[in-house]
Amino acid sequence: MSEDSNEADRLAALARYGLLDTPPEEGFDRLTRVAAFLFSAPIALISLVDRDRQWFKSACGLAGRETPREWAFCAHAIRGTEVMVVPDATRDPRFCDNPLVTGPPHIRFYAGAPLLTADGFALGTLCVIDATPRPGMSGGHQLILRDLARLTMDLLELRQMRGGIH
């Protein structure tokens, strides 16, 4: 399967959940608050990666609701199934010129766990962000972030079974 057809299937999977451009929901906001607290991070997001943008179902510590996809760290994280960690974005060639690094919110540290559907499509991530570089993330912390991403998917599945917001 080509990357383009995989992306088309991934976008179809994202559309099945009917989440884009929906209002905030307390269950998702709880998850980002917990992630921000557990990782002592000023920003935690549930980010969904659409064709042209990254849209936030929940944003703790960040006022905006979306960014262009080409700026999205999460667009890189969804290419794999493991937690993606960027200890210092200013030293990473993928991100050092990114407007979110060179300007507000001045991202330095990023860790994102893909939100994986049962059929293996990454819809987006649960991520934590800091304006201060960090040395990395321990295996235990990666496991916790992955578990929070799985809880996010459990909530997405429950929401879908119930037909929307509940």
Side-chain angles (χ1 to χ4, degrees):
M1 183 181 330
S2 76
E3 188 172 316
D4 288 340
S5 66
N6 188 47
E7 179 63 1
D9 292 341
R10 191 192 70 76
L11 290 169
L14 176 61
R16 281 197 309 263
Y17 285 85
L19 281 167
L20 294 172
D21 301 310
T22 59
E25 295 175 52
E26 182 58 28
F28 297 105
D29 292 344
R30 277 188 212 111
L31 287 166
T32 55
R33 285 192 305 266
V34 167
F37 176 80
L38 287 174
F39 294 98
S40 299
I43 298 171
L45 306 168
I46 294 172
S47 172
L48 302 171
V49 181
D50 198 2
R51 182 178 320 277
D52 300 313
R53 65 183 173 149
Q54 145 179 267
W55 181 80
F56 308 128
K57 179 59 183 165
S58 178
C60 177
L62 188 70
R65 294 289 295 186
E66 65 183 60
T67 70
R69 182 174 175 158
E70 59 268 16
W71 297 3
F73 284 56
C74 298
H76 292 266
I78 64 169
R79 294 179 186 157
T81 59
E82 298 301 316
V83 174
M84 183 180 97
V85 179
V86 179
D88 185 348
T90 64
R91 297 179 180 271
D92 188 312
R94 297 172 295 177
F95 304 113
C96 61
D97 294 328
N98 186 306
L100 301 173
V101 173
T102 60
H106 301 284
I107 295 172
R108 296 301 177 265
F109 174 81
Y110 169 93
L115 302 174
L116 298 170
T117 64
D119 48 357
F121 294 108
L123 305 179
T125 70
L126 175 71
C127 66
V128 291
I129 295 169
D130 200 340
T132 303
R134 298 185 184 192
M137 182 178 266
S138 72
H141 282 112
Q142 287 187 37
L143 177 62
I144 290 169
L145 191 61
R146 219 175 9 256
D147 284 348
L148 288 171
R150 288 183 182 130
L151 287 170
T152 302
M153 283 307 302
D154 291 346
L155 190 55
L156 290 174
E157 294 291 337
L158 181 61
R159 183 187 185 282
Q160 186 181 39
M161 287 188 316
R162 290 184 175 173
I165 300 172
H166 290 280

